[in-house]
């Protein structure tokens, strides 16, 4: 593949709801541009971007794929780096990585399905990252697809930015072409996306006039001269219209709506022309980071002549295609076998060979210039989010903003000898997917795996089995309960043991009461008078209490909020020892604890749920059913509400799936642990009984 200058590059991310047709659109663009000679299909499992076994098996995208295509445009050849992203919400991290390096977006909308949750999320991402965008309406070949109805919904949802650049031409209820609103000409498809000029149908005239007027208003608003000409009834040249529209699209003031059919490969030639004409090259934007040598903010245009700096936005660790670090060059030019400095890790590596990836195919290139996306193989230290640069000019860029995972399950290897293979496989999967995380919960002796949703975790299991030949199983995680007491008691503990020679003797009298500090296991004090217990045994008594607090008498959970006071006791000048007093304190603790009205405490989380207004009632009702307490609600952007509540952590298991079901997938949530509270009596009883049976079975 040829090397391209910054001004001839377009980095375009494909966004949209799952099943809207992004991968089909990417395949059509590959075919039309000549990147592939045979058109693949999702159903056949032979598309360029969905090459992973899991994607082929399931029929949808799981990872972001980079698909570089070359297109001969009006002003010479350009390179378009298509970033085909997953549409299902469990793989949002892949989308966020792609968006962080894109300079523009195509939001794919299925005309028949209309505006879906994924459409709204795609729009919100574009707004957040200030990405210019085109809405490409696919599935126009479906005779039940109403473009006019969809256009009204788009205008209602997203406002006056929406500008139809195309209107459909149908004959005998079949999609046969489109009206180009910008050029005021009809286009009839001949073969695939090729077209010939045709008459504009009479039925399009009314809508065409409205659409054209809106475009001309947008053109007029780009300068005072144009506005004066427009108001005086003057016309604009094609070149003036094109330039003005490019400015508007680049500034996201206008969002063109175009159309086609992925199945029939219609409309994609026009889309390629629009990408070249209206989307900005990388040098339209800026690289913003930190100059590590001075600590000052660094801002630069994408410039191939400057010192090298690049950000690693994705890592691929695949046993079949190898390990690649996907990078976007921000400044300078990267060449093979270059000594590069990982600014994030403060270490040097060598770049080796350079590639551009087209799906699973790695095409070797001689260099990668500023603004372009490429790949470096076999970097040992470099990971997603790192910045690479020259050691004498260290620049650090912000890491991609990745969603935090809140869905978690307990996991373990099915075969006991597979623990090492499991750990190694999970580590490689976590390198690829930053929304995947594992935590060792030593307290409950369980390993936890975190992800965005259940589907993602299910695919992790499948990948581990297929890629790394290790079988794991998921189960419901244990909840980290705590034990405490509710009243004050006094208790004695005497440890006496005679076995020939020196014996063991320790005797204590203690009081136990709530300390009202549930963050601390225990507070230890002593009020012994007259040397009934020598001072040198006080630490042993405290050690006995400390060890008891690790595993409480009620259900073997850690103890918190205890105040233990050593009141009195007795000792033997020969037989007493630290061990004896530690054991005596243990006996006193166990006796006193069970008489002091022991209770189980459950962890409480602060929950924030963001949903559209219409779902607030359902969500709050569900929170109440989960024993939660709604604390308040406030408005956020886009007509949404943030619901704040306290809720037991145990009730959040499965919440992700239920919230999506309630809100059609648009609701989001986050939570964090805040404190412990006494669990209801029925929960305590159930947990103590369950725990007792587990302890008997030595689990």
């Amino acid at each position: 593949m040829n090397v391209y200058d910054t001004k001839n590059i377009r980095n375009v991310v494909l966004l949209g709801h799952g099943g809207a047709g992004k991968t089909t659109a990417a395949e059509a663009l590959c075919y039309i541009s000549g990147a592939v000679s045979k058109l693949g299909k999702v159903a056949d499992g032979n598309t360029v971007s969905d090459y992973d076994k899991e994607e082929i098996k399931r029929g949808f995208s799981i990872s972001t794929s980079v698909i570089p295509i070359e297109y001969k445009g009006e002003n010479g050849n350009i390179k378009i780096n298509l970033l085909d992203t997953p549409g299902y919400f469990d793989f949002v991290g892949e989308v966020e990585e792609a968006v962080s390096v894109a300079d523009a977006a195509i939001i794919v909308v299925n005309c028949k399905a209309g505006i879906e949750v994924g459409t709204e999320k795609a729009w919100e991402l574009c707004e957040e990252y200030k990405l210019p965008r085109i809405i490409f309406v696919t599935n126009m070949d479906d005779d039940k697809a109403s473009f006019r109805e969809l256009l009204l919904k788009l205008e209602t949802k997203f406002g006056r930015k929406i500008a139809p650049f195309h209107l459909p031409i149908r004959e005998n209820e079949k999609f046969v072409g489109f009206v180009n609103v910008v050029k005021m000409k009809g286009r009839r498809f001949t073969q695939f996306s090729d077209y010939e000029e045709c008459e504009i149908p009479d039925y399009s005239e009314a809508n065409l006039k409205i659409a054209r007027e809106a475009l001309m208003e947008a053109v007029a608003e780009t300068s005072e001269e144009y506005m004066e000409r427009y108001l005086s009834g003057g016309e604009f040249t094609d070149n003036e219209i094109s330039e003005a529209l490019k400015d508007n699209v680049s500034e996201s003031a206008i969002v063109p709506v175009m159309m086609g059919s992925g199945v029939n490969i219609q409309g994609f030639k026009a889309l390629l022309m629009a990408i070249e004409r209206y989307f900005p090259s990388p040098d339209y934007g800026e690289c913003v980071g930190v100059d590590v040598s001075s600590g000052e903010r660094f801002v630069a245009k994408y410039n191939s002549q400057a010192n090298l700096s690049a950000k690693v936005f994705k890592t691929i660790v695949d046993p079949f295609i190898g390990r690649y670090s996907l990078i976007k060059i921000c400044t300078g030019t990267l060449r093979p076998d270059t000594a590069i400095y990982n600014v994030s890790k403060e270490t040097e590596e060598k770049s080796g060979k350079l590639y551009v990836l087209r799906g699973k195919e790695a095409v070797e290139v001689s260099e990668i210039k500023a603004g372009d996306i490429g790949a470096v193989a076999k970097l040992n230290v470099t990971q997603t989010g790192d910045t690479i640069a020259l050691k004498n000019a260290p620049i650090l860029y912000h890491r991609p903003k990745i969603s935090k995972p809140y869905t978690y399950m307990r996991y373990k290897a099915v075969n006991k000898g597979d623990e090492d293979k499991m750990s190694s496989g999970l580590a490689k999967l976590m390198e690829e997917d930053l929304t995947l995380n594992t935590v060792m919960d030593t307290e409950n002796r369980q390993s936890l795996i975190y992800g965005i949703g259940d589907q993602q975790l299910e695919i992790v299991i499948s990948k581990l089995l297929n890629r790394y030949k290790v079988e794991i199983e998921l189960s419901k995680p244990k909840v980290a309960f705590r034990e405490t007491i509710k009243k004050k008691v006094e208790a004695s503990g005497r440890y006496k043991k005679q076995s020939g020679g020196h014996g063991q003797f320790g005797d204590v009298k203690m009081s136990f009461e709530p300390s009202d500090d549930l963050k601390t296991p225990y507070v230890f004090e002593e009020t012994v008078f007259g040397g009934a217990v020598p001072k040198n045994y006080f630490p042993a008594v405290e050690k006995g209490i400390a060890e008891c607090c690790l595993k409480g008498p009620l259900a073997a959970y850690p103890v918190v909020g205890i105040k233990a006071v050593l009141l009195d006791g007795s000792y033997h000048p020969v037989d007493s020892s630290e061990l004896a007093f530690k054991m005596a304190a243990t006996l006193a603790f166990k006796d006193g604890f069970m008489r002091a009205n022991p209770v189980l405490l459950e962890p409480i989380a602060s929950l924030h749920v963001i949903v559209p207004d219409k779902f607030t009632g359902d969500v709050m009702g569900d929170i109440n059913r989960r024993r939660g307490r709604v604390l308040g609600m406030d408005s956020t952007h886009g007509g949404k509400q943030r619901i704040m509540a306290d809720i037991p952590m145990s009730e959040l298991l499965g919440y992700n799936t239920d919230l999506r079901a309630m809100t059609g997938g648009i609701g989001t949530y986050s939570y964090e642990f805040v404190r412990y509270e006494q669990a209801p009596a029925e929960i305590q009883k159930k947990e103590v009984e369950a725990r007792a049976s587990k302890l008997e079975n030595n689990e």
Side-chain angles (χ1 to χ4, degrees):
M1 178 170 274
N2 295 323
V3 174
Y4 286 82
D5 291 325
T6 307
K7 62 183 175 59
N8 295 324
I9 294 168
R10 304 289 185 273
N11 296 312
V12 182
V13 62
L14 291 168
L15 302 172
H17 196 79
K22 296 182 295 300
T23 299
T24 301
E27 193 71 16
L29 289 168
C30 276
Y31 184 70
I32 292 297
S33 64
V36 295
S37 57
K38 184 181 178 183
L39 187 75
K41 294 182 180 178
V42 173
D44 295 341
N46 59 355
T47 60
V48 174
S49 55
D50 285 0
Y51 59 85
D52 185 88
K53 282 186 177 180
E54 292 299 322
E55 294 175 318
I56 294 168
K57 181 172 78 174
R58 298 168 192 273
F60 59 78
S61 299
I62 293 168
S63 302
T64 290
S65 294
V66 183
I67 312 168
I69 60 176
E70 295 173 289
Y71 169 65
K72 188 173 182 180
E74 294 174 338
N75 301 308
N77 285 1
I78 67 167
K79 179 187 181 187
I80 303 170
N81 290 313
L82 292 173
L83 295 141
D84 182 22
T85 65
Y88 292 103
F89 309 132
D90 280 19
F91 314 105
V92 66
E94 296 284 336
V95 181
E96 290 164 333
E97 288 173 351
V99 167
S100 72
V101 294
D103 302 307
I106 294 170
I107 300 177
V108 180
V109 180
N110 184 315
C111 191
K112 188 176 179 181
I115 297 175
E116 299 176 272
V117 175
T119 315
E120 295 183 43
K121 288 181 179 285
W123 184 276
E124 288 172 1
L125 268 175
C126 290
E127 290 286 284
E128 182 181 347
Y129 284 84
K130 297 180 173 57
L131 284 184
R133 71 216 74 152
I134 288 173
I135 292 176
F136 187 76
V137 180
T138 188
N139 208 28
M140 289 298 297
D141 54 288
D142 192 315
D143 57 6
K144 293 180 182 176
S146 171
F147 181 76
R148 185 185 300 177
E149 188 178 316
L150 174 61
L151 194 59
L152 285 170
K153 288 178 180 176
L154 288 169
E155 289 171 346
T156 302
K157 186 73 183 174
F158 303 126
R160 293 188 63 190
K161 287 184 178 183
I162 298 297
F165 276 28
H166 292 171
L167 296 174
I169 296 177
R170 292 185 183 276
E171 288 180 3
N172 300 321
E173 298 186 349
K174 290 190 181 299
F175 177 59
V176 296
F178 62 91
V179 178
N180 186 322
V181 178
V182 178
K183 295 194 172 179
M184 293 291 283
K185 291 180 179 177
R187 310 295 195 199
R188 180 188 298 277
F189 296 121
T190 52
Q191 183 179 14
F192 300 133
S193 281
D194 290 336
Y195 54 75
E196 61 187 11
E197 194 170 321
C198 68
E199 293 292 321
I200 297 173
D202 293 340
Y203 61 76
S204 295
E205 291 292 347
N207 290 328
L208 178 59
K209 188 176 179 182
I210 296 168
R212 176 74 176 179
E213 194 67 29
L215 282 187
M216 292 308 102
E217 278 185 28
V219 171
E221 287 173 0
T222 56
S223 75
E224 289 184 13
E225 180 199 336
Y226 283 6
M227 182 58 77
E228 285 178 17
R229 197 193 307 176
Y230 174 72
L231 293 173
S232 62
E235 295 289 326
F236 301 114
T237 67
D238 285 352
N239 189 55
E240 286 173 337
I241 292 170
S242 183
E243 286 301 312
L245 290 177
K246 179 173 182 176
D247 289 344
N248 275 277
V249 173
S250 296
E251 293 294 327
S252 299
I254 278 182
V255 177
V257 182
M258 304 176 71
M259 64 179 65
S261 164
V263 174
N264 297 328
I265 326 174
Q266 294 170 327
F268 293 97
K269 184 177 179 180
L271 182 58
L272 283 171
M273 292 168 66
I275 289 171
E276 185 213 10
R277 189 176 297 159
Y278 300 119
F279 277 168
S281 55
D283 55 358
Y284 186 85
E286 294 176 329
C287 323
V288 181
V290 176
D291 185 335
V292 175
S293 59
S294 65
E296 294 180 357
R297 188 169 184 261
F298 171 84
V299 180
K301 288 283 186 183
Y302 287 85
N303 176 8
S304 298
Q305 306 306 315
N307 286 321
L308 174 69
S309 69
K311 49 188 175 185
V312 180
F313 71 94
K314 181 174 172 58
T315 303
I316 296 174
V317 187
D318 191 294
F320 305 108
I321 70 169
R323 188 185 198 281
Y324 294 96
S325 299
L326 273 62
I327 57 173
K328 183 182 186 183
I329 307 295
C330 298
T331 57
T333 300
L334 180 61
R335 296 181 176 88
D337 300 316
T338 301
I340 55 176
Y341 181 64
N342 185 320
V343 186
S344 309
K345 301 285 195 304
E346 298 183 351
T347 186
E348 287 188 84
E349 292 206 77
K350 201 169 185 180
S351 62
K353 291 181 180 180
L354 304 181
Y355 303 90
V356 291
L357 297 185
R358 183 183 285 132
K360 64 181 176 182
E361 180 189 3
V363 181
E364 192 174 343
V365 290
S366 59
E367 59 183 12
I368 309 170
K369 294 191 174 185
D372 207 351
I373 288 172
V376 185
K378 299 175 183 177
L379 291 180
N380 297 319
V381 177
T382 302
Q383 295 176 311
T384 303
D386 288 352
T387 298
I388 58 175
L390 298 180
K391 193 169 185 178
N392 61 356
I395 302 298
L396 189 64
Y397 295 110
H398 297 301
R399 292 176 173 273
K401 183 183 173 186
I402 304 296
S403 294
K404 185 177 177 181
Y406 289 102
T407 299
Y408 66 100
M409 294 290 282
R410 183 184 184 185
Y411 74 93
K412 65 178 180 180
V414 172
N415 301 312
K416 285 191 176 180
D418 283 349
E419 278 84 1
D420 289 343
K421 273 203 302 184
M422 176 181 70
S423 297
S424 173
L426 282 170
K428 289 173 182 174
L429 292 179
M430 286 189 287
E431 275 194 80
E432 286 193 298
D433 186 352
L434 296 187
T435 64
L436 199 63
N437 192 21
T438 57
V439 174
M440 183 58 67
D441 178 8
T442 53
E443 177 188 318
N444 288 302
R445 291 188 297 170
Q446 60 181 355
S447 298
L448 302 176
I449 184 166
Y450 282 76
I452 298 295
D454 297 328
Q455 190 175 52
Q456 179 191 16
L457 298 182
E458 177 194 326
I459 286 170
V460 167
I461 295 173
S462 189
K463 280 185 176 180
L464 282 171
L465 183 59
N466 293 325
R467 285 190 188 182
Y468 305 108
K469 309 305 177 193
V470 57
E471 188 176 357
I472 72 167
E473 61 181 7
L474 301 182
S475 58
K476 186 177 177 181
K478 299 174 188 174
V479 178
F481 285 91
R482 294 285 185 268
E483 299 180 21
T484 193
I485 56 176
K486 301 296 287 182
K487 70 176 184 180
K488 183 176 181 178
V489 297
E490 291 187 359
S492 298
R494 174 180 285 239
Y495 182 74
K496 187 176 182 180
K497 193 173 183 182
Q498 198 70 41
S499 57
H502 284 307
Q504 295 284 352
F505 180 82
D507 176 35
V508 295
K509 182 180 180 184
M510 302 188 70
S511 70
F512 300 96
E513 62 184 295
S515 70
D516 298 324
D517 177 12
L518 298 181
K519 294 180 180 178
T520 307
Y522 69 91
V523 176
F524 177 71
E525 295 177 1
E526 53 79 23
T527 59
V528 178
F529 291 101
V533 177
K535 287 184 178 180
N536 58 308
Y537 292 131
F538 292 171
V541 173
E542 183 176 357
K543 189 176 181 182
I545 302 301
E547 288 185 4
C548 286
C549 286
L550 296 175
K551 193 179 279 191
L554 185 61
Y557 285 111
V559 173
V560 293
I562 296 280
K563 181 180 179 181
V565 182
L566 177 60
L567 303 173
D568 200 359
S570 61
Y571 75 102
H572 189 281
V574 176
D575 291 348
S576 286
S577 66
E578 290 184 356
L579 173 63
F581 273 97
K582 188 183 90 166
M583 296 303 296
T586 300
L587 293 170
F589 182 94
K590 290 179 178 178
D591 173 45
F593 190 92
M594 295 306 289
R595 292 190 289 107
N597 192 10
V599 293
L600 276 187
L601 304 172
E602 62 180 346
I604 303 296
S606 173
L607 173 70
H608 286 199
V609 186
I610 298 177
V611 291
D613 289 339
K614 61 183 178 181
F615 296 118
T616 53
D618 291 341
V619 171
M620 287 194 289
D622 181 68
I623 289 172
N624 289 331
R625 283 192 292 277
R626 293 173 184 269
R627 300 191 289 119
R629 296 189 299 274
V630 175
L631 304 177
M633 191 166 67
D634 59 30
S635 298
T636 64
H637 64 280
K640 293 182 180 179
Q641 297 288 337
R642 179 188 288 107
I643 300 168
M644 293 152 285
D646 282 351
I647 191 168
M649 292 278 284
S650 59
E651 297 292 342
L652 286 172
L653 294 174
Y655 187 63
N656 180 63
T657 303
D658 293 344
L659 180 64
R660 284 183 188 174
M662 277 185 287
T663 64
I666 204 162
T668 60
Y669 74 104
S670 61
Y671 64 84
E672 61 179 10
F673 166 77
V674 285
R675 64 180 177 279
Y676 277 92
E677 284 184 4
Q678 184 174 333
E682 65 273 14
I683 300 292
Q684 291 191 53
K685 183 182 177 186
K686 184 178 177 182
E687 185 61 27
V688 169
E689 288 174 353
R691 192 74 164 171
S693 64
K694 287 177 184 177
L695 291 171
E696 284 174 12
N697 295 326
N698 293 316
E699 184 174 325

